[in-house]
């Protein structure tokens, strides 16, 4: 274990990974600071929070920004002197790095390729992320909490952000950076990155794992029972669950009444799609379940979820 932790320290100290370590530290620190301020505001009231946050632009704010600029320049200068630039030799088409990793800001997408097909992980999910961010101002009915930190007034929005960004996205970057070694195999921090490691994985689809219903028949055609069950499961997850919640609570919940059916449906769909990522990660990592629903159109167009 000592050798493995030494190897993990070497991974942390690689020039490519130093900014990611700093990013994790600063994200954690400023998240804690924001939650601390939000608790303070909820305890002592909004008016005091708004009054205490007021700062005169000149000279106080300008002075602080000027000092921070000088501090950042000093840090970057010391950083550039003490840590070598992560430059490698010229690209060689006959020698592929192992593991071959994308830049850190794309590692979340690269990690999602383990759990989804490329058209889902690389196209569909990022599109839903962008669409969801665009729609937030239009589906958000809560006008409280604008201009100050608060937890009490916006528990749902803060929880979704904390889970979606701080937990899922940052965790995917950390997982892809520090725990994916040669062959894109998973290594614990105390494990040595063995370039010759071979892991025999028996990937199965969901209904093959539960009921023994194979994805394809002997002749290569899709098993219609598997296609029907997978379709029912996906439709039930994305449609039946929101409909059940809407019919059960639409008369008793003031929030649902104010949202209306279309805003609620959009919010529920985006939330369930986001929740599908940790569900699929759990199924793949714990049970080697590759796909939940598999069907094709013709010989070249396949849909794997």
């Amino acid at each position: 274990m000592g050798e493995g932790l030494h190897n993990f320290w070497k991974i942390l100290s690689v020039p490519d990974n130093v900014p990611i370590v700093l990013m994790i530290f600063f994200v954690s620190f400023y998240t804690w600071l924001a939650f601390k301020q939000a608790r303070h505001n909820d305890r002592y009231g909004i008016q005091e929070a708004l009054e205490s946050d007021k700062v005169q632009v000149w000279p106080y704010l300008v002075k602080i920004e000027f000092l921070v600029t000088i501090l950042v320049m000093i840090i970057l200068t010391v950083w550039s002197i003490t840590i070598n630039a992560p430059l490698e030799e010229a690209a060689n088409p006959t020698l592929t790095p192992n593991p071959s990793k994308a830049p850190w800001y794309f590692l979340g997408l690269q990690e999602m390729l383990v759990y989804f097909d490329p058209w889902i992980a690389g196209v569909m999910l990022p599109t839903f992320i962008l669409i969801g961010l665009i729609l937030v101002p239009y589906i958000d009915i809560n006008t409280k909490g604008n201009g100050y930190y608060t937890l009490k007034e916006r528990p749902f929005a803060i929880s979704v952000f904390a889970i979606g960004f701080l937990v899922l996205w940052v965790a995917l970057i950390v997982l892809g950076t520090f725990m994916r070694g040669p062959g894109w195999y998973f290594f614990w921090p105390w494990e040595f990155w063995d370039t010759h490691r071979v892991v025999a994985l028996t990937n199965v689809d969901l209904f093959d794992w539960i009921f023994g219903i194979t994805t394809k028949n002997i002749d290569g055609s899709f098993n219609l029972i598997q296609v029907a069950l997978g379709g029912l499961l996906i439709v039930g997850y994305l449609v039946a669950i929101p409909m059940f919640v809407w019919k059960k609570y639409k008369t008793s919940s003031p929030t649902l009444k104010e949202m209306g059916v279309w805003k609620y449906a959009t919010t529920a769909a985006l939330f369930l799609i986001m929740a599908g990522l940790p569900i699929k990660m759990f199924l793949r990592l714990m049970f080697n379940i590759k796909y939940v629903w598999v069907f094709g159109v013709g010989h070249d167009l396949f849909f794997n979820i």
Side-chain angles (χ1 to χ4, degrees), residues 189-231:
W190 55 83
E191 291 184 322
F192 178 75
W193 283 19
D194 184 5
T195 56
H196 304 288
R197 178 180 180 182
V198 177
V199 179
L201 295 178
T202 305
N203 294 319
V204 294
D205 297 327
L206 179 64
F207 293 103
D208 190 2
W209 179 67
I210 298 177
F211 304 113
I213 302 175
T214 59
T215 302
K216 289 187 177 182
N217 299 316
I218 299 177
D219 58 359
S221 61
F222 285 92
N223 191 325
L224 295 181
I225 298 177
Q226 181 276 143
V227 173
L229 291 176

Side-chain angles (χ1 to χ4, degrees), residues 16-25 103-104 107 173-174 177-178:
D16 275 344
N17 295 339
V18 171
I20 304 177
V21 176
L22 294 176
M23 179 199 70
I24 297 171
F25 169 77
W104 69 268
L107 273 179
I173 294 175
V174 172
T177 303
F178 303 117

Side-chain angles (χ1 to χ4, degrees), residues 90-279:
N92 185 352
T94 63
L95 182 61
T96 303
N98 186 16
S100 182
K101 294 188 177 183
W104 69 268
Y105 41 84
F106 284 136
L107 273 179
L109 293 177
Q110 188 172 357
E111 178 63 22
M112 285 196 298
L113 291 172
V114 178
Y115 315 104
F116 297 96
D117 261 17
W119 73 275
I120 296 180
V123 179
M124 194 178 79
L125 290 181
T127 301
F128 278 122
I129 292 173
L130 294 176
I131 292 175
L133 293 174
I134 293 171
L135 292 178
V136 164
Y138 302 98
I139 61 179
D140 186 11
I141 61 173
N142 188 355
T143 59
K144 298 179 180 179
N146 293 331
Y148 61 94
Y149 294 98
T150 178
L151 296 175
K152 182 175 63 176
E153 302 292 351
R154 305 185 64 85
F156 178 75
I158 294 174
S159 300
V160 171
F161 171 78
I163 295 173
F165 175 73
L166 299 176
V167 177
L168 287 181
W169 193 246
V170 175
L172 287 175
I173 294 175
V174 172
L175 183 61
T177 303
F178 303 117
M179 299 183 185
R180 290 294 182 180
W184 206 256
Y185 291 126
F186 179 85
F187 290 84
W188 290 105
W190 55 83
E191 291 184 322
F192 178 75
W193 283 19
D194 184 5
T195 56
H196 304 288
R197 178 180 180 182
V198 177
V199 179
L201 295 178
T202 305
N203 294 319
V204 294
D205 297 327
L206 179 64
F207 293 103
D208 190 2
W209 179 67
I210 298 177
F211 304 113
I213 302 175
T214 59
T215 302
K216 289 187 177 182
N217 299 316
I218 299 177
D219 58 359
S221 61
F222 285 92
N223 191 325
L224 295 181
I225 298 177
Q226 181 276 143
V227 173
L229 291 176
L232 288 174
L233 180 62
I234 297 299
V235 172
Y237 177 73
L238 293 176
V239 179
I241 294 178
M243 288 181 62
F244 172 78
V245 175
W246 173 260
K247 289 183 178 181
K248 185 174 180 62
Y249 297 103
K250 66 177 180 180
T251 57
S252 59
S253 173
T255 302
L256 294 184
K257 290 181 181 179
E258 189 175 354
M259 289 184 70
V261 62
W262 292 112
K263 288 184 178 180
Y264 165 76
T266 304
T267 305
L270 293 173
F271 179 79
L272 290 175
I273 291 172
M274 183 188 75
L277 175 58
I279 292 174

